[in-house]
Amino acid sequence: MDCIFCKIVKGEIPSRKLFENDRVLAFYDIQPAAPAHALVIPKKHIASMNEAEEEDRELLGELLLTAKKVAGELGIAESGYRLINNVGPDSGQIVFHIHIHVLGGEKLGGLNVKS
Amino acid sequence: MDCIFCKIVKGEIPSRKLFENDRVLAFYDIQPAAPAHALVIPKKHIASMNEAEEEDRELLGELLLTAKKVAGELGIAESGYRLINNVGPDSGQIVFHIHIHVLGGEKLGGLNVKS
């Protein structure tokens, strides 16, 4: 496996952790797109939502509940935040290990604004 | 309850449905922000991810698996898509009933681009 997020899970690549348990990990994005920007990933390697299966249902739910928890940690629960999961070419997905972006800390841009 | 999405669930307001079961509903967004734009909602009223609780874990996972399924229905599974959940003021959340946007059908904009 040459997956950068699997290496972060194993501690082979450092990360600034926000939350961790046996199943999920949350850490700061190293290229923040907003004042607050974290990633929530499953420890299990799943390349993208396209590869998620029915058996992953609880794990996927835990990703969203962890994102909520992380928003609280980041102090953006009340001001608001956006959860984003990119899948495949048109989305700009770069790392092929499911990750949910948690973005906030400012008024965010529109749903699909081109730069 | 004066929730527009609860009214869609009850059939009091029409929608172009893509998928439905006892727990979730998917339908086309009436103000599309991309060539393909659907919404996936739980039938249970949950105002936002901030109000989601541990007991909603499986339901939240089903929302994501339904979003995957809907992307297949829309023909964007391979070209790629973005799942977005807005929470609170900074995100621009308008309807306070959890909804996951499924966006695709073109190269999407960046994560947080201002218009």
Side-chain angles (χ1 to χ4, degrees):
Chain A
M1 289 299 295
D2 201 37
C3 169
I4 190 171
F5 285 174
C6 285
K7 288 181 178 172
I8 285 177
V9 167
K10 288 185 210 153
E12 295 171 10
I13 292 175
S15 66
R16 289 173 60 210
K17 291 181 190 174
L18 281 154
F19 179 81
E20 182 172 18
N21 67 20
D22 288 350
R23 299 168 300 281
V24 304
L25 175 65
F27 53 96
Y28 285 95
D29 194 299
I30 56 168
Q31 289 194 298
H37 188 175
L39 300 175
V40 181
I41 68 171
K43 291 194 169 181
K44 174 184 177 182
H45 181 81
I46 306 171
S48 82
M49 202 60 72
N50 277 341
E51 284 74 33
E53 302 293 346
E54 188 54 46
E55 68 184 30
D56 300 312
R57 183 165 48 170
E58 279 203 54
L59 179 59
L60 296 172
E62 187 166 9
L63 290 180
L64 291 177
L65 289 171
T66 303
K68 170 197 171 180
K69 195 188 317 252
V70 163
E73 287 286 317
L74 293 169
I76 57 174
E78 297 312 313
S79 52
Y81 53 99
R82 179 171 292 160
L83 306 182
I84 297 178
N85 176 243
N86 286 326
V87 188
D90 276 351
S91 72
Q93 183 181 8
I94 298 168
V95 177
F96 283 82
H97 181 129
I98 286 182
H99 51 290
I100 294 180
H101 296 268
V102 183
L103 286 167
E106 67 179 11
K107 188 79 184 166
L108 299 168
L111 281 186
N112 183 24
V113 180
K114 273 71 162 196
S115 50
Chain B
M1 288 298 295
D2 200 37
C3 169
I4 189 171
F5 285 175
C6 284
K7 288 181 179 174
I8 284 176
V9 166
K10 289 184 210 155
E12 296 172 8
I13 292 174
S15 67
R16 288 173 60 210
K17 291 181 189 175
L18 281 154
F19 178 81
E20 181 171 19
N21 67 19
D22 288 349
R23 299 167 299 281
V24 304
L25 175 65
F27 53 97
Y28 285 95
D29 194 299
I30 55 167
Q31 289 192 299
H37 188 175
L39 300 176
V40 181
I41 69 171
K43 291 195 170 181
K44 174 184 176 183
H45 181 80
I46 305 171
S48 82
M49 203 60 72
N50 277 341
E51 283 75 32
E53 302 292 347
E54 188 54 45
E55 66 184 31
D56 301 311
R57 183 165 49 170
E58 281 202 53
L59 179 59
L60 296 172
E62 187 167 7
L63 290 181
L64 292 177
L65 290 171
T66 303
K68 170 196 172 182
K69 194 190 317 255
V70 163
E73 288 286 317
L74 293 170
I76 57 174
E78 296 313 312
S79 52
Y81 52 98
R82 178 171 293 159
L83 306 181
I84 298 178
N85 175 244
N86 286 325
V87 188
D90 277 351
S91 72
Q93 183 182 7
I94 298 169
V95 178
F96 283 83
H97 181 129
I98 286 182
H99 51 289
I100 295 181
H101 296 268
V102 183
L103 287 167
E106 67 177 13
K107 189 79 183 165
L108 299 168
L111 282 185
N112 183 24
V113 180
K114 273 70 162 197
S115 49

